[in-house]
């Protein structure tokens, strides 16, 4: 990773660090991050996305969660590719998964184990998705869980699994033998950035988010990490995301929180309209904050959970936006807002039609306010729309109104606006009160380069 | 147009010509084609697609149809951009149009005029789609029809219109004044290739097809032309296609024939999943062959129409394939065959999911038999599929079977197959008897280049 890009990305942390450390030398934290970033030969993309967030939070520890990463040599050389998260006894787990009819073996494993609702460990590997691997794939999930369970002295059914990477190649889970035991001895509470790095594939930056919020009279923390980049579309958009909290939330309530938060976060993000076989979002609640007086929550509708719910959904939204920012080859973050639709569902369908249109996305890559293509994408969505009531804006500049080009708009002003790193396309339908928002990115030659030479 | 590419493309014609013309000098026909091909500065793409058909038919005249092309300077310089087709009195017309909720003004014009079922003229311009142009757009269609009607002494309601090109720019129809009158004086029966060239936008080669078939005891001819390249997706795939015949077929029968033929031709083709606001397929039947004894057909189910229907649908299929071959930036024609689905409709949905997947299309551009992405695309289609029954082949080589990689396939053999200009992906679901086929192309950097710099 380019050190300048790393510095830019980690600006807030550098400021925090120098505030605490008078020495002008690089802080330990930055050195650690730099040294642990994947080596160039292990990266699919060579440069950090220009859309990478400049403010990366310091990730606090979460009571009841410890992390370790390692290089098991699954596919990549010279970088970490396994994450082990170990949770205290009594941790509740909830999950939402891909709607693919051909899910990966780990997705089937997690779905099956979710019913008992308790988790002691999460094992994630990058480089191999263990998808479409038949019986071998099922055997690999079982072996991985068995190895982890032995190392942690828990039941294999308490071990949750996720894999990301190439599809159709058998995953050699025997590579975890020994590795997971060593990791279990090395777990630490503050390794969040390295954890987020270990699960990357074509991502150009690790994705983390955190919030701290009051629950009753106790402070509780929510940490999340995600990996995404390509094969991103609704029905559980990002490939893998994991959220952890020390709040004492029962499994049923946690599941409800998760489902409620997915619709406008991960399911409102699309990179290329392709849905992975491996999409997994898991949430773990250790309940450790009960020791500080946090009330035990059994229902998502509990009024004491209001601030927590907002923060929890903010973590999901933050991670989902980072996935869009790191869309493969993306140079621009694109926000599509549709209002005046006949319903929110209709607005979503139209917004997704715009967000997934290759012609809209290539126009944005070309910094061209080609609203004609937005009209096309609205028209093809199949949802109620009246051409002669339609208005379209780019970054607040209305370019089309009532069925024709807005006569008042200034081409030079719009051209300048299109050079911004974030483009907001607003479509006002003028029919009703339905409104929705989705995030995507532009479609560049780099996307083709990344995906035209991945497996080979 | 590169003369070698032109020769390659027109191989059969050259052979025909030299058979008839002993002189080794280039035939008149080839010179004419070369001289009338669009000049480089007027082309969006500089090179003829490597997928262009090598056998281009000689287009026969059709009794009752005459054509002319001209350069009206709508948008392009140094190339033709208007086509006028003049039909004899009594010509029946049928049409199928985009399902876009925001159709272009000419689409609305044609839909409105179709009810009376008679046509005397077709005016097509390239360079400006006259879409999303509000009242100005409606006025432009009326003015164009009025100018043509005056030149031909017919009713404006007998003039059919189609426009293709940029969306949202007002079309200055006054440019047709004078031009159409001159063209009306210059119409000729054998200008099909030039007609097909005048309607091109980002197309790299003109698209024509012809069939001659018996109807009763008379030979009848079907000629078609199309333009496509980008913004191609089902719901009337190609942007513009026109089919002409001298067979005496009543309007109702013609409309039925057209609808029946669209499903497995134009609606089974996708380039980028984007549906144009201008998609138009019109069919004209002059009835002139009645003079040679062709029976008048009033019902599409008439058994005498069997051979004609097959030939008519073959023309539609031929044109649709050429559209896929000329997908923007495409280097490979891709045929997706899905069988064993629970129904034909389900097979279509799965085939389209594969055909529109950017990850599948980029893999093909990279000549990578990445069947894992095919699994992903099957899985995201939302149709019944059983991962453990799925088999996938590339150009006849089975690479995946029963939920895992086919152990017997030879990577080198598959790699060699992926270098072919045509790639067939076969997905066998093993569930039922539903089967379908769609055509698409690969997704290359050239697509981005073409579409990232179109309007500006």
């Amino acid at each position: 990773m380019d050190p300048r890009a790393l510095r830019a990305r980690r600006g807030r942390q550098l400021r925090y660090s120098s505030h605490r450390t008078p020495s002008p030398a690089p802080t330990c934290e930055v050195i650690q991050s730099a040294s642990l970033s994947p080596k160039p030969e292990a990266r699919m993309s060579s440069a950090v996305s220009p859309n990478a967030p400049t403010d990366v939070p310091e990730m606090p520890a979460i009571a009841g969660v410890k992390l370790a990463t390692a290089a098991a040599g699954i596919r990549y050389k010279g970088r970490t590719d396994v994450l082990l998260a170990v949770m205290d006894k009594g941790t509740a787990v909830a999950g939402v998964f891909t709607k693919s009819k051909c899910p990966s073996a780990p997705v089937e494993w997690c779905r099956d184990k979710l019913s008992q609702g308790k988790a002691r460990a999460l094992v994630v590997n990058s480089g191999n998705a263990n998808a479409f691997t038949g019986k071998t794939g099922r055997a690999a999930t079982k072996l991985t869980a068995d190895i982890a369970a032995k190392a942690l002295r828990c039941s294999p059914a308490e071990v949750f699994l996720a894999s990301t990477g190439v599809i159709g190649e058998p995953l050699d889970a025997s590579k975890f033998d020994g590795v997971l035991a060593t990791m279990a001895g090395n777990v630490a509470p503050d390794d969040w950035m390295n954890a987020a790095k270990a699960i990357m594939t074509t991502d150009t930056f690790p994705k983390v988010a955190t919030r701290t919020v009051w629950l009753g009279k106790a402070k509780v923390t929510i940490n999340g990490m995600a990996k995404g980049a390509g094969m991103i579309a609704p029905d559980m958009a990002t490939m893998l995301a994991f959220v952890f909290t020390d709040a004492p939330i029962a499994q049923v309530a946690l599941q409800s929180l998760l489902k409620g938060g997915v619709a406008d976060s991960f399911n409102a993000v699309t990179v290329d309209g392709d849905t992975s076989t491996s999409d997994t979002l898991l949430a773990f609640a250790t309940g450790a904050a009960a020791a500080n007086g946090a009330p035990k929550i059994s229902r998502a509708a509990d009024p004491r959970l209001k601030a927590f719910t907002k923060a929890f959904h903010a973590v999901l939204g933050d991670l989902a936006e980072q996935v869009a920012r790191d869309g493969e080859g993306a140079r621009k973050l694109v926000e599509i807002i549709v209002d005046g639709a006949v319903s929110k569902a209709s607005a979503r369908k139209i917004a997704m039609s715009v967000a997934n249109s290759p012609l809209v996305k290539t126009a944005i890559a070309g910094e061209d306010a080609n609203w004609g293509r937005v009209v096309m994408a609205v028209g093809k969505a199949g949802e109620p729309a009246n051409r002669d009531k339609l208005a379209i804006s780019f970054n607040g500049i209305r370019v089309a109104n009532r069925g024709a080009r807005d006569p008042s708009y200034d081409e030079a002003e719009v051209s300048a606006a299109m050079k911004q790193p974030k483009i907001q396309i607003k479509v006002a339908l003028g029919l009703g009160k339905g409104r929705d928002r989705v995030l995507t990115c532009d479609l560049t030659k780099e996307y083709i380069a990344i995906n035209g030479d991945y497996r080979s």
Side-chain angles (χ1 to χ4, degrees), chain A residues 12-99:
Chain A
R12 188 189 279 175
Q13 262 173 300
L14 273 169
R15 285 198 302 276
Y16 282 5
S17 302
S18 52
H19 178 70
R20 290 181 309 206
T21 326
S23 157
T27 64
C28 172
E29 188 180 12
V30 170
I31 290 171
Q32 186 190 39
S33 297
S35 67
L36 279 158
S37 69
K39 288 185 187 172
E41 68 272 20
R43 296 285 297 282
M44 301 300 165
S45 253
S46 52
V48 172
S49 164
N51 296 323
T54 48
D55 280 354
V56 179
E58 279 193 286
M59 298 292 287
I62 292 206
V65 183
K66 286 179 179 168
L67 306 164
T69 58
I74 296 299
R75 181 180 176 85
Y76 309 124
K77 292 199 195 312
R79 58 157 277 190
T80 57
D81 56 4
V82 198
L83 161 66
L84 173 67
V86 180
M87 274 77 71
D88 282 358
K89 274 185 189 165
T91 295
V93 58
V96 181
F97 304 93
T98 180
K99 285 183 185 157

Side-chain angles (χ1 to χ4, degrees), chain A residues 211-242:
Chain A
R211 296 291 188 281
T212 299
V213 68
W214 292 99
L215 179 61
K217 288 177 182 167
K219 265 195 176 171
V220 296
T221 302
I222 306 160
N223 278 3
M225 68 179 86
K227 64 84 47 185
M231 218 186 271
I232 303 296
D235 297 338
M236 262 314 294
T238 196
M239 298 180 79
L240 303 180
F242 310 105

Side-chain angles (χ1 to χ4, degrees), chain A residues 92-96 114 117-118 215 245 247-261 283-285 295-306 308-309 312-313 316:
Chain A
V93 58
V96 181
L114 210 58
K118 293 289 170 197
L215 179 61
T245 181
I249 300 180
Q251 201 255 345
V252 176
L254 191 65
Q255 184 70 35
S256 175
L257 265 181
L258 202 59
K259 278 204 173 171
F284 301 92
K296 293 191 181 180
I297 303 291
S298 56
R299 295 178 311 113
D302 190 317
R304 291 171 297 179
L305 206 58
K306 204 174 164 190
F308 182 89
T309 301
F312 188 84
H313 289 178
L316 298 181

Side-chain angles (χ1 to χ4, degrees), chain A residues 199-432:
Chain A
I199 65 174
M200 287 163 61
T201 57
T202 57
D203 305 63
T204 73
F205 59 88
K207 296 162 189 67
V208 293
T210 184
R211 296 291 188 281
T212 299
V213 68
W214 292 99
L215 179 61
K217 288 177 182 167
K219 265 195 176 171
V220 296
T221 302
I222 306 160
N223 278 3
M225 68 179 86
K227 64 84 47 185
M231 218 186 271
I232 303 296
D235 297 338
M236 262 314 294
T238 196
M239 298 180 79
L240 303 180
F242 310 105
V243 182
F244 301 82
T245 181
D246 52 355
I249 300 180
Q251 201 255 345
V252 176
L254 191 65
Q255 184 70 35
S256 175
L257 265 181
L258 202 59
K259 278 204 173 171
V262 161
D264 289 324
S265 59
F266 291 110
N267 280 354
V269 168
T270 179
V271 167
D272 51 18
D274 276 346
T275 301
S276 160
T277 54
S278 307
D279 294 335
T280 298
L281 167 59
L282 292 169
F284 301 92
T286 67
N292 306 331
K296 293 191 181 180
I297 303 291
S298 56
R299 295 178 311 113
D302 190 317
R304 291 171 297 179
L305 206 58
K306 204 174 164 190
F308 182 89
T309 301
K310 198 176 164 190
F312 188 84
H313 289 178
V315 166
L316 298 181
D318 188 336
L319 293 173
E321 177 173 323
Q322 290 185 57
V323 168
R325 285 183 176 274
D326 204 14
E328 285 172 344
R331 286 175 305 192
K332 291 181 193 289
L333 176 68
V334 183
E335 180 183 40
I336 320 280
I337 294 177
V338 173
D339 70 16
V342 296
S343 66
K344 178 177 161 71
S346 181
R348 168 67 58 97
K349 221 171 152 189
I350 291 168
M352 275 293 173
S353 179
V354 176
N356 278 324
S357 161
L359 289 170
V360 171
K361 293 160 85 87
T362 49
I364 292 168
E367 302 190 333
D368 176 13
N370 194 323
W371 53 268
R373 295 185 185 174
V374 178
V375 175
M376 175 281 299
V378 172
K380 79 166 176 160
E383 290 296 308
N386 181 335
R387 187 190 64 195
D388 298 336
K389 288 186 176 179
L390 200 56
I392 295 167
S393 305
F394 284 87
N395 280 2
I397 305 165
R398 195 173 68 187
V399 291
N401 193 27
R402 288 197 278 178
R405 183 168 61 186
D406 191 322
S408 65
Y409 91 82
D410 175 14
E411 190 77 39
E413 190 193 4
V414 177
S415 292
M418 296 306 291
K419 298 195 192 310
Q420 297 296 315
K422 180 175 171 182
I423 303 294
Q424 184 199 74
I425 302 178
K426 190 170 169 189
V427 176
L429 294 164
L431 299 179

